[in-house]
């Protein structure tokens, strides 16, 4: 039996969105795999950026672990997402990457062509676009009338 594929998830504000959670579920359905979440800091100011990244991890990891059916370790990267990916790849091997990003009209990562730049490193990349930055995790509860 081959080793499970190692999948690097690169996400920040979209790390806990339904689109990414569903993409992880779909990936699990295609064969054995394990995941690591990389959260690049949103700002270069280290103290604030790391604090926000930790909040993202705290919210996202339980949801990703549920979707993955196992542990999903998380690491915080520098504010340059490409540099953060390269630094992780120096220390660990991955077979593929999922980049979870905001919609195209507002995504800095897509404007900087992050998925293509990662593909040039020799790995397949799946891009998951959230509908909105703070997409609800569950549909609104509908209350029956009196």
């Amino acid at each position: 039996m081959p080793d499970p594929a190692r999948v690097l998830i690169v996400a920040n504000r979209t790390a806990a969105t339904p689109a990414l959670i569903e993409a992880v579920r779909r990936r699990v359905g295609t064969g054995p795999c394990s995941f690591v979440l990389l959260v690049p800091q949103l700002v270069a100011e280290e103290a604030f950026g790391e604090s926000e990244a930790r909040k993202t991890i705290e919210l996202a990891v339980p949801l990703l672990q549920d979707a993955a059916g196992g542990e999903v370790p998380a690491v915080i990267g520098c504010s340059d997402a490409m540099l953060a990916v390269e630094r992780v790849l120096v220390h660990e091997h991955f077979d593929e990457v999922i980049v979870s990003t905001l919609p195209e009209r507002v995504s800095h990562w897509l404007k900087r062509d992050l998925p293509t730049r990662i593909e040039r490193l020799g790995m397949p990349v799946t891009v998951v676009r959230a509908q909105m930055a703070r997409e609800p995790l569950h549909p609104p509860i509908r209350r029956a009338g009196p």
Side-chain angles (χ1 to χ4, degrees):
M1 179 186 265
D3 289 334
R6 298 208 60 224
V7 182
L8 178 64
I9 300 169
V10 183
N12 195 304
R13 286 189 277 181
T14 61
T17 56
L20 178 57
I21 304 306
E22 182 55 34
V24 168
R25 282 194 183 104
R26 279 193 312 270
R27 178 57 189 90
V28 167
T30 66
C33 56
S34 64
F35 299 89
V36 172
L37 172 63
L38 168 61
V39 179
Q41 297 176 31
L42 287 176
V43 294
E45 184 204 320
E46 195 169 319
F48 179 75
E50 187 170 329
S51 171
E52 288 301 305
R54 288 193 189 289
K55 289 177 189 175
T56 297
I57 288 168
E58 189 176 315
L59 177 63
V61 165
L63 299 168
L64 292 169
Q65 287 180 160
D66 183 58
E71 188 175 340
V72 177
V75 294
I76 296 172
C78 64
S79 61
D80 179 326
M82 186 63 198
L83 183 57
V85 169
E86 289 171 335
R87 286 179 177 170
V88 167
L89 294 177
V90 165
H91 300 288
E92 294 186 59
H93 167 78
F94 290 93
D95 301 296
E96 56 192 273
V97 178
I98 296 174
V99 174
S100 177
T101 187
L102 296 169
E104 196 160 353
R105 68 186 182 282
V106 294
S107 171
H108 294 290
W109 290 356
L110 293 178
K111 288 176 185 170
R112 292 185 178 112
D113 207 13
L114 180 64
T116 301
R117 292 168 62 205
I118 294 171
E119 282 179 338
R120 288 183 191 135
L121 299 175
M123 283 181 292
V125 175
T126 301
V127 177
V128 176
R129 289 178 182 88
Q131 297 301 311
M132 336 179 247
R134 300 282 182 201
E135 198 173 301
L137 295 174
H138 304 284
I141 298 173
R142 295 178 191 220
R143 299 179 190 253

